[in-house]
Amino acid sequence: MSYPKMTVNLETIKNNVKSVVGLCNSQGIKVAGVTKVFCGNPRIAKAYIEGGVSYLADSRIENLIRLKELDIPKIMLRLPMKSESEKIVEYADISLNSELDTITSLSEKALEKGKIHKIILMVDLGDLREGYYDEKSLFNSIEKMIELKGVKIIGLGTNLTCYGGVIPTKEILNRLAKLEKQIEEKYNIELEILSGGNSSTVHLLPDNKIDRLNNLRLGESLILGTESAYGEQIEGTKNDAFTLQVEIIEVKEKPSLPTGKIGRDAFGNIPTFIDRGVRRRILCAVGKQDVDFEALYPLDEGIIILGGSSDHLILDGSDSEVDYKVGDIIEFRMSYVGILRGMTSEYVEKEIIK
Ligand SMILES: *Cc1c(COP(=O)(O)O)cnc(C)c1O
């Protein structure tokens, strides 16, 4: 077995999914399980399916291609690049979109393959990432999209708490529902999906039914069991499905402050230090190339993360009750971004347990 290593517990993930899907389904909401945090690994995606998701969704077409053998509808989350239209219609059943040019291209490619590609139109409700911001341009586009033979508009969607940090409320999401109703009436079409965001919408669910809302695209709440508006743990879930193990390569007593004149560190920043006197410093074989140090939480609460560089993580182990030695393994829990970065690094071994 080699290190650094991430361990993925499928049983925990499946249980998380069951709890969250149960909560959503009880409110008439179907869940698209977002697989980007584990780079579309098919074995982990299967745990989503066993847990009851209705779709798989990813922001990268490469990941959807990895999932192609799994028989469940797939959603492309990031607005497609025009240049990847052909792959999108091949490997995704549905994509989120906000540009007529791209949708026209998707329509052409779909027709070439004898398919009809489904579109969820994205509306920007103030978070300022993707989506139509003003309703007039949305309506203008829809008029033209209706003419396209290779695509079908199946609903509206929005994304919040991603760039602007806007927290979803009933009022904000009801705007989307109202807009959908207007579109249905004006163009005499039926829209079957109202996709009300990501894990930051989950906090509204227990007693706050939103008009028409019947779809959520969830990653963090399935993986860590946390709703992401306030960071609360959802009932029946656990946050330790993914752990990181790293190996110690040096243990030495050293002062807390560097010796000499201080310039820039390996990343071009001027470092600052807290003087705690002479401390037991533990050097581990993992670096910023593999993980985000801000996203790591040592299971041993006596350990302090001091920092590190591309290939080294430096810990202070003086307050720990464990007498760490070279070759020992230290274990961490990770935040959502931490898991994303670790799963993406080729240098981190992945072990999937049952
Ligand atoms: C990543 C992503 C999601 C899932 O976000 P979580 O916060 O992990 O639930 C949903 N929608 C889109 C468009 C995304 O890119």
Side-chain angles (χ1 to χ4, degrees):
M1 193 50 69
S2 63
Y3 296 98
K5 181 173 83 179
M6 274 176 81
T7 304
V8 187
N9 187 318
L10 293 185
E11 198 58 31
T12 307
I13 295 176
K14 195 162 78 179
N15 283 332
N16 285 355
V17 175
K18 276 188 185 158
S19 298
V20 176
V21 166
L23 170 66
C24 291
N25 287 357
S26 75
Q27 306 285 316
I29 293 167
K30 286 188 174 167
V31 173
V34 174
T35 54
K36 65 191 178 198
V37 70
F38 50 82
C39 307
N41 180 301
R43 281 183 65 196
I44 308 177
K46 264 192 196 155
Y48 272 12
I49 296 174
E50 287 164 13
V53 301
S54 305
Y55 308 82
L56 293 178
D58 206 289
S59 49
R60 311 262 174 160
I61 195 66
E62 293 86 345
N63 293 346
L64 290 181
I65 294 173
R66 293 182 75 186
L67 297 168
K68 68 178 191 300
E69 306 299 339
L70 300 178
D71 186 21
I72 185 168
K74 299 188 189 75
I75 305 178
M76 174 68 184
L77 291 176
R78 185 169 67 187
L79 305 179
M81 295 184 261
K82 268 174 81 179
S83 60
E84 64 182 352
S85 302
E86 187 172 352
K87 283 186 186 159
I88 302 289
V89 300
E90 182 67 34
Y91 297 104
D93 302 280
I94 304 169
S95 59
L96 309 184
N97 280 280
S98 68
E99 288 289 349
L100 183 59
D101 268 1
T102 309
I103 294 169
T104 306
S105 166
L106 290 169
S107 175
E108 284 164 10
K109 296 297 177 192
L111 284 179
E112 282 172 20
K113 291 181 193 289
K115 290 182 167 183
I116 293 180
H117 182 73
K118 296 176 180 165
I119 303 278
I120 294 176
L121 288 175
M122 294 301 275
V123 179
D124 188 337
L125 297 175
D127 199 56
L128 303 182
R129 199 175 74 181
E130 73 273 53
Y132 285 91
Y133 191 81
D134 79 283
E135 299 181 4
K136 201 159 156 241
S137 73
L138 172 65
F139 280 77
N140 284 341
S141 287
I142 290 176
E143 260 165 50
K144 303 203 174 77
M145 281 170 216
I146 288 173
E147 305 298 319
L148 299 170
K149 298 279 180 280
V151 291
K152 180 172 188 233
I153 306 167
I154 61 164
L156 295 187
T158 194
N159 200 59
L160 292 158
T161 341
C162 264
Y163 175 72
V166 174
I167 291 176
T169 60
K170 201 171 175 179
E171 291 68 37
I172 292 176
L173 290 175
N174 277 338
R175 241 189 83 201
L176 194 65
K178 209 172 125 207
L179 201 54
E180 191 171 77
K181 190 152 175 274
Q182 264 177 299
I183 293 167
E184 285 191 328
E185 285 166 1
K186 185 157 183 208
Y187 300 104
N188 195 24
I189 53 176
E190 208 177 314
L191 299 177
E192 59 189 90
I193 288 185
L194 191 83
S195 186
N198 54 47
S199 296
S200 70
T201 301
V202 173
H203 78 101
L204 292 176
L205 292 192
D207 50 18
N208 216 338
K209 181 89 178 83
I210 291 143
D211 198 25
R212 281 175 168 259
L213 176 64
N214 60 11
N215 179 281
L216 287 176
R217 312 172 307 268
L218 304 179
E220 177 171 339
S221 51
L222 304 185
I223 289 298
L224 290 171
T226 41
E227 58 76 25
S228 52
Y230 302 99
E232 301 284 333
Q233 198 72 34
I234 300 161
E235 210 180 302
T237 66
K238 289 167 84 177
N239 66 3
D240 59 358
F242 287 73
T243 56
L244 174 73
Q245 285 106 31
V246 306
E247 184 172 336
I248 300 175
I249 53 175
E250 184 188 281
V251 183
K252 293 201 189 303
E253 305 283 327
K254 297 186 189 182
S256 312
L257 299 181
T259 325
K261 188 164 179 273
I262 307 297
R264 294 184 185 276
D265 67 14
F267 284 76
N269 305 311
I270 296 182
T272 54
F273 303 92
I274 301 168
D275 191 358
R276 299 186 178 99
V278 172
R279 305 285 286 182
R280 171 170 305 163
R281 296 168 76 93
I282 300 172
L283 204 56
C284 300
V286 69
K288 291 187 188 174
Q289 187 170 358
D290 315 298
V291 294
D292 179 352
F293 296 160
E294 318 255 297
L296 294 183
Y297 305 94
L299 296 193
D300 177 347
E301 288 175 0
I303 285 179
I304 304 169
I305 297 176
L306 295 174
S309 53
S310 317
D311 307 302
H312 296 87
L313 169 64
I314 308 170
L315 307 173
D316 181 333
S318 312
D319 298 338
S320 171
E321 285 168 12
V322 183
D323 182 20
Y324 289 106
K325 303 258 186 325
V326 164
D328 285 354
I329 302 302
I330 296 193
E331 199 165 1
F332 300 85
R333 213 167 47 65
M334 280 163 293
S335 71
Y336 192 61
V337 223
I339 295 169
L340 177 71
R341 184 94 76 91
M343 289 303 286
T344 306
S345 173
E346 277 186 40
Y347 302 99
V348 178
E349 166 105 5
K350 283 92 188 173
E351 186 185 18
I352 299 180
I353 52 177
K354 167 32 210 183

